[in-house]
Amino acid sequence: MDASDVVTVYAQRLADPQKVLAAASALGTGETFCATAADDDEPEDGVAAYSATISDTVATFVIDVTQDPMFGELPGALAQSGWSATSLTAYQISVASLGPGSDRLRYRLARALLEVTGGVLVGADGTRLVVESLADATWGSLW
């Protein structure tokens, strides 16, 4: 997987996992599942750490979900957002490189996650993106 093919949706807090799974499942080519690992240690601020991997059975896509306090600080693209680093959640989207279809799937997954999480999109280079910019790459939004 080329790092330039990875995009991340950052949200202020963890979205309902069932809604995220439903949004991603609609775009998979096989059955979609979610493997989670929760941190059982309750931190002082009451925000439990959370991580998950959402994938379809043929690994067309993988979404790695990580919730702070694992990060410790905001990524540069969010430095001026006013968001709290302790509740930040990252949804990193990876799509198998299969040509124009992968661009389209990456675009659709990012758009679905933005709708569910109310977050922002950041590219592999750390800059904020508009979801429509993913559609520019080889007809990503078409078909």
Side-chain angles (χ1 to χ4, degrees):
M1 186 80 41
D2 186 341
S4 64
D5 294 336
V6 176
V7 294
T8 304
V9 171
Y10 287 105
Q12 291 189 60
R13 64 193 57 80
L14 182 68
D16 180 338
Q18 294 305 318
K19 289 181 181 179
V20 172
L21 186 59
S25 294
L27 303 172
T29 56
E31 288 188 32
T32 304
F33 63 94
C34 180
T36 62
D39 185 347
D40 293 333
D41 296 332
E42 188 69 28
E44 292 178 20
D45 62 3
V47 179
Y50 178 92
S51 66
T53 298
I54 301 170
S55 179
D56 69 356
T57 53
V58 293
T60 303
F61 70 86
V62 175
I63 301 170
D64 287 319
V65 184
T66 308
Q67 185 183 25
D68 242 325
M70 295 179 195
F71 294 117
E73 64 182 57
L74 292 173
L78 301 175
Q80 304 301 317
S81 67
W83 291 6
S84 168
T86 60
S87 58
L88 183 69
T89 306
Y91 298 83
Q92 187 177 66
I93 304 167
S94 304
V95 176
S97 295
L98 301 173
S102 63
D103 293 329
R104 178 178 152 266
L105 181 56
R106 187 177 305 103
Y107 164 77
R108 294 181 70 199
L109 283 165
R111 190 176 64 188
L113 286 173
L114 288 170
E115 289 173 7
V116 172
T117 65
V120 298
L121 183 64
V122 176
D125 63 357
T127 60
R128 282 178 78 159
L129 301 172
V130 178
V131 71
E132 289 77 15
S133 67
L134 296 179
D136 295 341
T138 322
W139 316 294
S141 64
L142 302 178
W143 320 347

